[in-house]
Amino acid sequence: DLIVKLNGELVFVEVKSRSNINYGYPAESVNYNKRRKIVNVAKFYILENCLHNISIRFDVIEIYLKNNKVNHIINAF
């Protein structure tokens, strides 16, 4: 959802929201297949923008709509 450069690091951020946790926490929906797609997009972005020797990480931001809570998971995968 987001690509951010923060403190010299390239951060790929997946944002997930839920109105309740009846079907699990938002981060749980970032399963193996979703992570694989995000990693492939990251590889493409890095190659297309000729970014070399840059540190990267993958974060997940969980948004809980009912209570307006946000949880930032750094290095989620």
Side-chain angles (χ1 to χ4, degrees):
D1 293 322
L2 301 169
I3 301 172
V4 181
K5 190 169 186 181
L6 183 63
N7 299 327
E9 192 170 40
L10 195 59
V11 184
F12 294 86
V13 183
E14 182 68 14
V15 180
K16 293 293 184 184
S17 65
R18 293 285 184 273
S19 56
N20 59 57
I21 58 169
N22 292 345
Y23 298 104
Y25 295 100
E28 291 175 338
S29 67
V30 186
N31 59 25
Y32 173 79
N33 289 328
K34 183 68 173 177
R35 290 191 307 264
R36 190 179 64 193
K37 288 178 186 178
I38 295 168
V39 168
N40 286 336
V41 166
K43 288 177 183 177
F44 178 79
Y45 182 86
I46 289 166
L47 286 173
E48 280 293 305
N49 291 284
C50 299
L51 301 173
H52 305 288
N53 299 321
I54 190 165
S55 179
I56 66 167
R57 74 173 198 238
F58 299 94
D59 293 1
V60 173
I61 293 180
E62 297 179 309
I63 300 174
Y64 297 91
L65 301 172
K66 215 169 206 178
N67 61 3
N68 296 323
K69 181 182 173 190
V70 175
N71 183 32
H72 182 187
I73 303 169
I74 298 171
N75 284 322
F77 58 94

